[in-house]
Amino acid sequence: MLTFPATSAARAQRPAIAAAADLQFALQEIAARFQEETGLEVRLSFGSSGNFTHQIAQGAPFELFLSADENYIFHLAQKGLTADQGALYAIGRIVLFAPHGSPLRVDESLQDLRAAITDGRIKRFAIANPEHAPYGRAAQAALEHETLWKPLSPFLVFGENASQATQFAAAGTSQGGIIPLSLSKAPQISRLGSFALIPADWHAGEPLRQRMVLMKTAGDTARKFYHYLQQPTARDIFVRFGFLLADEDNH
Amino acid sequence: MDWTAINLSGKLALVTLLFLMPPAIFTARWLAMTSLRGKHWIEGLLALPLVLPPTVVGYYLLVAMGGNAFLGGWFEAVTGSTLAFSFTGLVVASVIFNIPFAVQPVQRAFEAISPEIHEAAKCCGLTFWQAFFRIDLPLAWPGILSACVMTFAHTLGEFGVVLMVGGNIPGETKTVAISIYDRVQSFDFGSAGAMSLLLLVISLATIGVSYGLVARLMKRRHSP
């Protein structure tokens, strides 16, 4: 059968949705529940919020975009591509993660990380790429806050997005990394190591205010999913993955 | 196993063959026969995708396919959708980065046909087209088949270009290679492993078939 993929009419039935990589597990669960309850299906693509912003600005056919940094949403809104200013759906947090067998001990004060840099226990340390991944920028801000950025720099490996950074941090290819709380809480990853929550005020300049927005081109299914994401079922799943819920008037 | 992605890759490979092979065969025939002075520059140009990094090809395609560019703008005006991040865009990209894989084996096959055969054909009063269909094509078929399998396999495996111009949309631009990358990022090593094995087997089979065909050609060349 040689047919071109779905025409735009058929595509609207299964809208393409772009989501920040830290939503990998939470959003898949929400989409599955959405499908159970409504019979409607969405197609999820995960990646870095910055890359998606570029692609959407260049005309990528996503109908809904869930960013890890609200500034990307405002940028697209300014370009006139979005239906409105969107809605804040979660506040993200970062953790210090070390895989089992790593010489690095995780603590909330990053004391052992500091010691491990000086005594040579750290060979590789993973974060998401700060250039286009909000979780990478939050990691950098927290490290700078603790004057660990410069000493740690020679050992840094960059994931293309928060998921890949988590991959590097958890797979035992590094001694650890700074990754999203929402990913470290997923069973696939929590069994690979241990983590400690990093204080939110250490990255106050990168608060990980996660905002989503419908594009002007959004169809009916995408709109329904957007509303579903703001209902109790979805919000409970976000909470279970460690997201703080943002309360703001979305008028 | 991401069957949607496997299906999409297969479709992309077939559509690529459909659009690329006819012009590739004629180009190869012309290159094999011509004694034009700047011929090696044209051959070099057609071989460029072999040596250019996929990201460079991807970058130029992205620039060409943007809404403001000539190609992208024209496509948007005609169809109402963007060329980048669409299946059609992948076909354009795939045709371009497969040119050397489609042209070179066919060109070698045409070059292997001895000039005496063409002279004999002329003496018998065959026109160019009659000679082409009754003599050239039947003699060059191993090269053509080899080009087809190479192009097919290469399309299944292309990663860098697709990552840059595709946008990773399930059922639209998410090919097998991209799906493997995606599965690894979501810690699903089972699927990643199964799809990797599939591509490994297909690649090995391709190389085997292709080498076998080339051996056939060489044997014919050296037999009286």
Side-chain angles (χ1 to χ4, degrees):
Chain A
M1 271 304 294
L2 202 64
T3 50
F4 275 66
T7 57
S8 53
R11 218 178 312 170
Q13 304 303 310
R14 297 172 61 246
I17 290 169
D22 65 297
L23 298 165
Q24 182 89 249
F25 300 108
L27 201 61
Q28 287 194 25
E29 200 173 312
I30 294 170
R33 290 293 293 274
F34 175 70
Q35 198 174 343
E36 277 169 31
E37 288 178 33
T38 63
L40 298 168
E41 209 182 329
V42 294
R43 292 179 296 162
L44 303 173
S45 296
F46 295 99
S48 87
S49 303
N51 280 351
F52 278 134
T53 304
H54 283 298
Q55 292 184 347
I56 289 166
Q58 287 171 329
F62 294 110
E63 296 181 29
L64 170 65
F65 173 34
L66 291 90
S67 171
D69 176 349
E70 64 181 352
N71 291 319
Y72 287 125
I73 301 288
F74 297 143
H75 173 77
L76 289 171
Q78 257 172 356
K79 282 183 172 284
L81 296 165
T82 63
D84 53 15
Q85 297 282 309
L88 204 63
Y89 62 91
I91 307 278
R93 294 291 302 271
I94 49 175
V95 300
L96 172 67
F97 188 99
H100 293 312
S102 165
L104 176 69
R105 285 188 308 282
V106 297
D107 58 77
E108 290 182 17
S109 57
L110 303 190
Q111 279 308 319
D112 193 57
L113 178 62
R114 189 181 301 278
I117 295 168
T118 28
D119 65 24
R121 276 179 287 143
I122 296 282
K123 305 270 184 295
R124 286 275 173 255
F125 191 84
I127 66 170
N129 191 333
E131 300 242 339
H132 50 80
Y135 274 89
R137 285 200 293 275
Q140 179 175 354
L143 289 168
E144 278 171 350
H145 183 276
E146 292 304 290
T147 61
L148 287 166
W149 178 253
K150 275 211 162 63
L152 197 56
S153 287
F155 308 108
L156 288 177
V157 282
F158 295 111
E160 198 261 326
N161 57 53
S163 249
Q164 197 178 42
T166 303
Q167 176 71 48
F168 292 163
T173 46
S174 67
Q175 284 69 52
I178 291 178
I179 63 169
L181 172 64
S182 58
L183 293 182
S184 57
K185 271 186 172 277
Q188 292 92 319
I189 293 154
S190 59
R191 60 184 164 77
L192 298 173
S194 48
F195 61 88
L197 195 64
I198 291 172
D201 55 328
W202 287 9
H203 55 93
E206 295 291 342
L208 296 169
R209 286 167 59 84
Q210 305 203 184
R211 187 173 282 271
M212 61 180 172
V213 74
L214 283 161
M215 297 299 137
K216 278 196 171 137
T217 55
D220 196 36
T221 305
R223 283 172 202 283
K224 284 200 175 87
F225 189 61
Y226 175 77
H227 289 296
Y228 188 83
L229 285 164
Q230 300 172 62
Q231 302 308 312
T233 312
R235 291 174 76 92
D236 288 349
I237 294 172
F238 278 133
V239 169
R240 192 150 45 76
F241 279 93
F243 288 107
L244 299 175
L245 289 183
D247 279 312
E248 68 154 19
D249 277 349
N250 293 309
H251 291 307
Chain B
M1 278 291 209
D2 183 347
W3 292 109
T4 314
I6 291 167
N7 194 356
L8 184 82
S9 275
K11 228 178 259 180
L12 178 64
L14 285 175
V15 175
T16 301
L17 281 179
L18 214 66
F19 282 102
L20 179 59
M21 284 322 287
I25 290 170
F26 286 112
T27 308
R29 169 75 169 69
W30 176 74
L31 281 171
M33 299 302 156
T34 187
S35 46
L36 193 76
R37 283 184 72 178
K39 176 174 138 174
H40 60 279
W41 284 107
I42 297 167
E43 286 176 320
L45 189 69
L46 293 178
L48 256 188
L50 279 180
V51 288
L52 272 183
T55 44
V56 173
V57 180
Y59 168 76
Y60 282 121
L61 281 168
L62 208 51
V63 171
M65 286 179 185
N68 311 326
F70 169 73
L71 177 69
W74 170 82
F75 185 82
E76 212 161 328
V78 172
T79 64
S81 58
T82 52
L83 190 51
F85 317 114
S86 74
F87 181 77
T88 317
L90 285 198
V91 172
V92 172
S94 177
V95 163
I96 289 171
F97 67 67
N98 273 303
I99 290 170
F101 293 85
V103 172
Q104 289 183 1
V106 184
Q107 188 184 338
R108 299 293 162 261
F110 282 137
E111 281 167 353
I113 301 169
S114 66
E116 290 88 355
I117 294 182
H118 283 126
E119 279 157 26
K122 270 209 189 93
C123 290
C124 299
L126 289 181
T127 63
F128 170 85
W129 288 110
Q130 283 174 317
F132 181 78
F133 283 109
R134 284 154 87 176
I135 294 163
D136 286 334
L137 275 188
L139 283 175
W141 76 262
I144 293 168
L145 196 59
S146 172
C148 287
V149 288
M150 286 302 262
T151 301
F152 190 90
H154 185 230
T155 306
L156 291 189
E158 179 53 41
F159 176 76
V161 177
V162 179
L163 188 70
M164 284 184 81
V165 304
N168 192 0
I169 302 164
E172 179 82 26
T173 57
K174 190 176 181 175
T175 59
V176 183
I178 301 282
S179 182
I180 290 171
Y181 176 72
D182 228 40
R183 292 292 87 210
V184 169
Q185 289 205 357
S186 44
F187 295 80
D188 181 358
F189 286 88
S191 294
M195 284 189 280
S196 299
L197 186 63
L198 180 78
L199 282 191
L200 179 69
V201 169
I202 291 175
S203 305
L204 193 61
T206 307
I207 298 286
V209 167
S210 171
Y211 280 23
L213 289 165
V214 171
R216 263 188 100 102
L217 266 178
M218 299 310 283
K219 219 158 82 190
R220 176 182 312 151
R221 204 171 176 175
H222 297 304
S223 58

